[in-house]
Amino acid sequence: MNDVAWAELSNSLIYSAIAVYALAFLGYCAFAAGRSTTPAPLPEMSVAAGAAGTAPYPEEAIPSGEPTPAGRTQFLGAAAISLTTLAFGLHAASIASRGIAAGRAPWGNMYEFVLVCSLAAAGAFLATVRRRPIQALGVWVSALVLIALGLAVTVLYTPAGALVPVLNSYWLVIHVAAAMIGGGVFTVGFIATTAFLVRTRLDRRGRRTGMLPSTETLGQVAHAAHMFAFPVWTFAVIAGAIWAENSWGRYWGWDPKETWAFITWVLYAAYLHAQATAGWRGVKASWFAIAGYAAFVFNFFGVNMWITGLHSYAGV
Amino acid sequence: MRTAVVLLALVAAAAIPGSLLPQRNVASDPSAVASFYAENPGLAPWLDRFQLFDVYASAWFASIYLLLLVSMVGCVLPRSARLWRSVRSAPPAAPRHLGRMDRYVAWTSDVPSDEVVARAEATVRGLGYRVEVAGTEVRGERGYLREVGNLMFHLSLLVLLVGVGAGRLFGFEGRVALVEGASFTNLRSQYDAFTPSVWTDVDGLEPFSFTLDDFDATFESGSVDAGAPRSFLADLTVTREGSDPETVQVRPNDPLDVNETKAFLTGHGYAPKVTVTDGEGNVAYSGPVMFLPLDQTYTSEGVVKVPDAVPTQLGFEGLFLPTGVIDDLGPRSVFPDDLNPLLVLTAFTGDLQMDDGAAQSVFTLDKGGMKQARGADGEPFKRALAVGETMRLPGGEGTLRFDGVARFANFQIAYDPGKEISLVAGVLLLVGLTASLAIRRRHLWVRVGPTGEVEVAARSVTRRPLPAGEVDRLLTALDAPRHTSSPTPTPEKETL
Ligand code: HEM
């Protein structure tokens, strides 16, 4: 196959991935609707610290002989996860074939960043959902991935090609890969944190909802995601500094992109501290995670589009 | 901890204005502050008063992060003292009510108590815990490295401050543009722009010189991304002190390095070569003139100043087009490579005003003392020249021949003695952080009561849950009956 064929394959694969994510999204919607209408509240796993890993899906305990509503809901959840896994595979294959077409690591422009970052988000979700009962977050994860990919193929699309010379650096490959993986996992952290805040509010008002996992589960998933993503992001910032040193002799120049990476980092550090501060843990701390994510997203879109700096792909 | 959160939030907020307003000494555009001043003459001085064009060097930014670092030290040092004491002392005794721990299991065993204790001790030790036996109680603790990591992470920020400070106090940055064939010697006077730090040894810069022998650029010629740069390569002849000249190739991301003073290739442009004769028919200038690229296709603007021309000085102003077309849209370049170079110039005669001592930009004419040359129709005199063509000014005031095209390269030259320190800080930071987040500090207790009652309890000192399976392995080793396990919800824990 030649480069053009690989590039075309990559494009077909991403459209297929979008289609399958969309099906998964519908599955999650049906799952969430099913949970919220199932008469008896589903037993939430009592996720005690020591019991983690004993029964990943307590709902499975529901007898599944005749098709009870709960059983059907369960089936929908599992189907949606399988679809997400399939879409994830297509998505990954699309990125890989783009790499082959361009003859380089496939993260060199905005289109490719969005692809890789949303892949990391989907991957982080799939990895977490194997351990924690958070299928209900699938609606939001698949919706965000769909929005990201939709933007990518419509607004940001760039044909596969080589890179401008300054981007041709080994450290850059590492830097961007780490930033996108960190960003993907932060996305899952953001979704879990938002759901945590929503669920906390609903619980306070005494409203029962099966649409969202318990605050306990959400809190733990959010914290775990941030704990994973924060060092990855730290590494991305350091690798970026090394690249900058290599390419213009200044490892830190307060370029807008660097500044916002710093702001993101500091806000997440504030989040981790707040989580360890009496009186701030939980709801208050969560707002720092949300602010951190907002800074990350602004850096990704806002800085690239509205503020010019030395980062050469800035023209999209 | 509350102080830390508040100060961190403040640092984040304080960093924002610097990304939105133009900044001095920030690499992207050296003239950005000046143009902001020109556009906002009322507002700019006020912003300047609050150091908003120097946010990251401002007193208020520094006071926030110094406050943060001081509070960090005040927080972390007592913590390390506590860590040191706990490493030196035995793992803590079991609390009276073990049932409140994260995991608690109790049963009655008919195994003799000293055997239970011995087995428990061996197993807990085997799990990698530090173990202390006190009577019929086995106490274990594990994960001190988490605290060490946390400490290392926080203190690395101080190392980073030293590294950044060293660069800011002793380093320098400068820029120079060289046309093919031109040379540079590392002396302050040879820089186009030079930014020393407070204590830079300005007269003791690393002694070396280099000549730009050749500059080569290639651009995408395929249909995808046509015109995008694909490679830049500068061939240099470098002379270091005490050694023979050698040839060195410099590319983006691959600088010239002379004892830590590095020269980076950061850009390039065109320098059309011209020969100007004056009104008396003598050659008044011959050589390349740098033109400033304006866009991706290297439409470049510039001026040719000829102060040696008599009877009147000459100035030319216009565009250089590497792949020029002239059509209804006006003269422009359609490709960045020099496939069809065109030089489009207008001419001025009079006084260039270069003698009054004020520094002039090499890219603009001071037209105060100049008169624009006009054709017979009274329109400004203007010509588009291909290589080899000559323009003759009306009235025989001079000629300009377009001899050919040279390129120039921009070099950024930097010396930062703090960067190794910062790198070490970065590594410490990352290792410390990872250890701090990945390692779980935890306690494990086994207590045997006088009536054969065995209690097993575990507690996580961090917010991370206990690792799965450790307690189960202990229970198996102690022959605990199955299904005695009774997980209790994680109690709210206070870390500081
Ligand atoms: C200079 C800026 C600071 C930064 C960037 C920073 C960053 C961090 C980060 C990322 C963590 C998470 C690692 C972990 O949980 O083990 C952390 C934890 C911690 N920080 Fe800081 N910190 C700073 C200042 C401070 C200050 C001023 C204090 C004192 C109040 C402090 C005390 C702590 C403590 C006690 C922990 C452990 C929290 C826990 O047990 O979960 N830090 N810090």
Side-chain angles (χ1 to χ4, degrees), chain A residues 234-285:
Chain A
T234 308
F235 174 69
V237 173
I238 293 175
I242 295 176
W243 168 55
E245 202 283 325
N246 257 304
S247 94
W248 62 85
R250 225 189 229 214
Y251 59 88
W252 195 266
W254 294 108
D255 169 272
K257 203 100 193 145
E258 293 168 352
T259 303
W260 281 92
F262 171 81
I263 293 171
T264 307
W265 189 79
V266 171
L267 287 170
Y268 278 117
Y271 163 77
L272 291 179
H273 278 102
Q275 284 289 24
T277 305
W280 291 58
R281 178 168 312 137
V283 174
K284 262 194 197 170

Side-chain angles (χ1 to χ4, degrees), chain B residues 180-328:
Chain B
E180 285 167 319
S183 299
F184 166 81
T185 302
N186 190 25
L187 295 173
R188 180 175 185 169
S189 59
Q190 298 234 333
Y191 282 91
D192 297 338
F194 187 81
T195 319
S197 315
V198 196
W199 292 322
T200 306
D201 182 4
V202 177
D203 300 318
L205 302 184
E206 181 68 29
F208 67 94
S209 62
F210 63 85
T211 304
L212 177 64
D213 298 325
D214 189 33
F215 182 84
D216 190 58
T218 58
F219 299 91
E220 181 65 55
S221 53
S223 58
V224 173
D225 291 341
R230 285 296 172 247
S231 75
F232 298 132
L233 173 65
D235 285 313
L236 308 183
T237 302
V238 181
T239 312
R240 300 163 207 248
E241 196 176 49
S243 56
D244 292 334
E246 54 177 327
T247 56
V248 176
Q249 296 196 320
V250 171
R251 297 178 181 78
N253 299 317
D254 186 8
L256 166 69
D257 182 346
V258 183
N259 276 337
E260 297 289 298
T261 297
K262 295 188 181 177
F264 299 85
L265 180 61
T266 54
H268 78 109
Y270 288 97
K273 294 192 272 193
V274 297
T275 300
V276 181
T277 58
D278 61 17
E280 300 188 345
N282 299 317
V283 172
Y285 177 79
S286 183
V289 183
M290 287 187 220
F291 273 48
L292 200 63
L294 299 176
D295 59 22
Q296 308 278 333
T297 52
Y298 284 79
T299 300
S300 309
E301 80 181 356
V303 300
V304 181
K305 299 183 192 183
V306 194
D308 295 339
V310 281
T312 167
Q313 293 185 331
L314 299 176
F316 299 85
E317 181 183 70
L319 296 176
F320 171 77
L321 313 169
T323 301
V325 292
I326 297 181
D327 57 15
D328 307 346

Side-chain angles (χ1 to χ4, degrees), chain B residues 8 44 163 284 286 311 318 335 358 382 418 436 438:
Chain B
L8 282 166
S286 183
F335 194 75
K382 184 174 188 176
S436 155

Side-chain angles (χ1 to χ4, degrees), chain A residues 230 273, chain B residues 1 68 71-72 75 79 146 150 153-154 436 496:
Chain A
F230 187 74
H273 278 102
Chain B
M1 287 296 271
L68 180 59
S71 115
M72 185 265 285
C75 203
R79 196 178 155 106
R146 177 203 186 253
N150 185 284
F153 163 72
H154 282 92
S436 155
L496 285 196

